[in-house]
Amino acid sequence: LRKDEAEVVERLETLERQRASLEEILGREETWRDGERMKKLKAKVAENHEEQTRLAARWQEIEGLLAGLETDE
């Protein structure tokens, strides 16, 4: 479980960096002038958000399992 937790946390950190990068790109004037590019970038942001939400739930699940194991000891 600790390995799973570390992998989830690492992926969440990567996704957060990617989200920040995408938002920076979305804020550029040349980006929002290009409607097709904006559409693609917004889809990537939405995918990123969905994966972050899923992984955050998994992280909470792992934390709960680990807490239960520690209580049993």
Side-chain angles (χ1 to χ4, degrees):
L1 281 174
R2 292 276 181 213
K3 182 181 176 199
D4 288 345
E5 179 186 37
E7 289 172 356
V8 167
V9 169
E10 182 178 331
R11 182 66 183 142
L12 282 168
E13 290 171 350
T14 298
L15 287 167
E16 183 58 30
R17 286 190 300 274
Q18 289 174 347
R19 183 200 57 78
S21 177
L22 287 168
E23 288 181 354
E24 189 272 324
I25 293 167
L26 282 169
R28 296 179 190 164
E29 183 178 348
E30 67 269 14
T31 302
W32 49 263
R33 286 183 179 194
D34 184 343
E36 188 61 34
R37 185 169 185 212
M38 281 293 288
K39 186 176 178 181
K40 289 177 182 177
L41 287 168
K42 285 183 177 183
K44 285 183 180 184
V45 169
E47 289 171 17
N48 179 290
H49 177 72
E50 288 173 14
E51 187 172 359
Q52 281 190 35
T53 300
R54 182 183 60 77
L55 287 173
R58 177 65 181 140
W59 187 21
Q60 288 179 335
E61 178 185 357
I62 292 170
E63 287 292 308
L65 292 170
L66 288 171
L69 290 174
E70 291 171 359
T71 303
D72 291 342
E73 293 177 0

